[in-house]
Amino acid sequence: MPIRQITVYGEPVLHRRALEVTEFDDELRQLVADMHVTMDAAHGVGLAAPQIGIGLRLFTYVYADQNDAPERGVVINPKLTLSKVSQAPADVDEESEGCLSVPGLNYPLKRADYAKVEGFDEFGNPVSFEAHGWFARIMQHEYDHLDGFLYVDKLQPRWDKRWNKAKKSLGWGVPGNTWLPGTDEDPFGH
């Protein structure tokens, strides 16, 4: 189970809709295992396949504060049903997100407080659970990756200006930028 390189904003696979998984085989199960190892090495709470350069509709997660979902899992070919998103400005202290593909940066973003998550596990078994609060945020964040969006693509104008300035200064927005958890310096300081 090797740790995989994490792609950074600008890599084309991050900016296009991922393809449905059609084969639930050993190769898929190995990919899921690699994603869990990579997510753990990066100290992440979620990792979508496009973040490691694989354009398939699946993500892994680990989060201990949920009701009926496993603490650790994978959702393949997910469908999300969301509650409404408040139109109030995002709270900088309570609603800031980070992303392994936007390493070291955090910006506030409004999300729905509830998500019904449906999909499949790595064996093709149905998965269905509800997520609330921060766990719902994680589900939405990872799902967005599968549709070719990163959280920074959805920022309010004030934060979008800061993001664009940071992106330019870091040289992101072009292909070829990656980092390797456990080897490269941890961009989040874990």
Side-chain angles (χ1 to χ4, degrees):
M1 292 182 283
I3 295 172
R4 305 276 191 111
Q5 292 272 345
I6 295 179
T7 59
V8 173
Y9 189 96
E11 194 63 39
V13 70
L14 291 172
H15 305 286
R16 65 176 172 250
R17 188 178 194 283
L19 301 173
E20 299 283 326
V21 171
T22 58
E23 297 290 325
F24 292 81
D25 55 13
D26 288 341
E27 187 176 334
L28 176 67
R29 288 184 279 284
Q30 182 62 56
L31 173 61
V32 170
D34 291 353
M35 288 175 65
H36 277 294
V37 168
T38 302
M39 178 180 66
D40 292 345
H43 305 283
V45 294
L47 181 68
Q51 292 183 272
I52 60 167
I54 308 293
L56 292 175
R57 296 187 72 75
L58 71 139
F59 62 80
T60 56
Y61 68 87
V62 57
Y63 192 69
D65 188 25
Q66 64 266 7
N67 297 324
D68 63 342
E71 178 177 315
R72 179 181 197 78
V74 62
V75 185
I76 299 171
N77 298 336
K79 293 183 175 127
L80 265 60
T81 305
L82 305 174
S83 61
K84 290 194 177 216
V85 179
S86 167
Q87 296 305 306
D91 183 297
V92 76
D93 295 319
E94 299 294 325
E95 297 177 305
S96 287
E97 288 186 27
C99 179
L100 298 175
S101 292
V102 184
L105 301 177
N106 296 290
Y107 297 102
L109 179 66
K110 272 292 186 203
R111 295 276 192 187
D113 285 331
Y114 166 85
K116 167 107 175 155
V117 182
E118 298 173 283
F120 301 91
D121 69 12
E122 66 269 41
F123 298 98
N125 300 315
V127 172
S128 179
F129 57 87
E130 294 181 353
H132 301 271
W134 198 259
F135 188 44
R137 177 178 293 275
I138 294 166
M139 296 297 103
Q140 293 165 77
H141 180 109
E142 298 309 325
Y143 183 85
D144 281 349
H145 278 297
L146 306 183
D147 282 342
F149 297 104
L150 283 74
Y151 85 102
V152 290
D153 296 325
K154 298 180 168 197
L155 297 175
Q156 294 169 334
R158 170 185 177 196
W159 301 108
D160 189 52
K161 285 181 183 179
R162 291 183 188 193
W163 155 240
N164 283 317
K165 187 175 181 180
K167 176 176 58 173
K168 184 176 179 182
S169 73
L170 293 165
W172 294 347
V174 296
N177 293 309
T178 63
W179 68 283
L180 184 62
T183 299
D184 294 335
E185 182 180 342
D186 186 332
F188 296 97
H190 294 109

